[in-house]
Amino acid sequence: MDLGLKDKVALVTGASKGLGRATAEALAADGVKMVAVARASPQLAELEKAFAGTCVTLAGDLLDAELPQRAVDLALERFGRLDIAIVNTPGSRALLPFEAAEADFDAAFRASFHPAVRLIRAAQAAMSAHEWGRILIVSSTSVKAPKPFLCLSAAARSALWAWAKSAAPELYERGITINALFAGPHDTDRASELKVSKDKVIGQPQDFGRFAASLCGDSTRFVTGTGFLMDGGELKGI
């Protein structure tokens, strides 16, 4: 199936591993050019080498408030446009609600909420120039059904989704869609960090990446402000 992605230009954060890496690889396989952003690592360098000529990398930490704009500027400089933004920010540490202090919530918002908003602001400005864009937020099922030990992540990611839903109508007027993928446990370093049991079936990053890519093409022009669950049926609510 031709998703209409060939020669589109994407910006992917958290691109060196996990769900971000899988999404970057899926987009590249469909002919997308990209700027891949992550902390400096051999994995990030390998990504650029694997897709030489169509992928450039930018090493940095999303805690740097200027990084999102630099990433957008790099996409415009190297490829002349920006069509897709995969907004993938790090998760917060595990704490129960009454263990979490105000400083912990501040840190969660600095890591997950503010960098995402900065990236979306910068990306939509570039996309508005040609009235076409796809913004996809990589999020968590904790937005839909908060887990007590992930209260920090649930708070920051829920706030981000509320902001994104509020921004969706204005973005749509400019030809830009914004959606989210609420991921359940996948076979990633984050799952290992949270001690997710491998005894049960968990998601594969490659499947996540391919589904994410499918939401970035021409045929999704009428899909916006929508959150998609990828959790293997973990959540039981309707």
Side-chain angles (χ1 to χ4, degrees):
M1 178 180 178
D2 183 2
L3 298 174
L5 290 174
K6 184 172 173 54
D7 293 327
K8 296 290 189 188
V9 178
L11 193 168
V12 183
T13 61
S16 64
K17 59 184 181 179
L19 301 182
R21 175 62 173 255
T23 303
E25 291 177 340
L27 289 169
D30 277 318
V32 173
K33 301 170 184 176
M34 79 177 70
V35 173
V37 181
R39 295 186 183 96
S41 69
Q43 295 96 322
L44 186 63
E46 289 164 7
L47 185 63
E48 185 169 20
K49 184 177 179 180
F51 300 103
T54 59
C55 174
V56 295
T57 58
L58 177 61
D61 192 320
L62 285 171
L63 291 176
D64 177 357
E66 297 180 357
L67 184 62
Q69 187 62 58
R70 290 208 310 271
V72 170
D73 291 344
L74 180 58
L76 298 177
E77 175 188 334
R78 292 296 296 268
F79 302 118
R81 60 190 290 135
L82 179 65
D83 305 294
I84 299 163
I86 305 299
V87 182
N88 180 29
T89 55
S92 305
R93 67 192 186 114
L95 283 177
L96 292 170
F98 291 107
E99 294 175 341
E102 286 188 19
D104 296 312
F105 283 100
D106 289 342
F109 273 75
R110 283 197 305 272
S112 299
F113 177 85
H114 295 298
V117 171
R118 292 183 194 115
L119 179 58
I120 293 167
R121 287 183 186 277
Q124 64 82 29
M127 294 170 180
S128 294
H130 55 276
E131 298 184 331
W132 197 99
R134 301 289 182 266
I135 299 171
L136 185 63
I137 298 169
V138 178
S139 192
S140 164
T141 53
S142 63
V143 172
K144 306 296 287 184
K147 299 177 176 68
F149 71 101
L150 290 178
C151 68
L152 296 175
S153 181
R157 296 193 188 282
S158 295
L160 174 60
W161 183 230
W163 180 87
K165 285 279 287 185
S166 301
E170 182 178 347
L171 290 171
Y172 196 67
E173 291 176 0
R174 304 174 201 164
I176 302 168
T177 67
I178 184 166
N179 295 295
L181 277 174
F182 301 124
H186 281 67
D187 191 7
T188 63
D189 289 351
R190 175 66 168 168
S192 298
E193 175 190 335
L194 295 175
K195 297 180 172 57
V196 173
S197 172
K198 301 296 180 70
D199 294 334
K200 65 177 183 178
V201 177
I202 62 174
Q204 295 305 307
Q206 294 78 10
D207 295 337
F208 180 98
R210 285 190 286 266
F211 185 60
S214 76
L215 296 175
C216 297
D218 287 323
S219 63
T220 58
R221 64 175 58 88
F222 201 52
V223 181
T224 194
T226 301
F228 297 87
L229 283 169
M230 287 195 73
D231 68 343
E234 179 184 45
L235 300 189
K236 306 305 181 187
I238 296 175

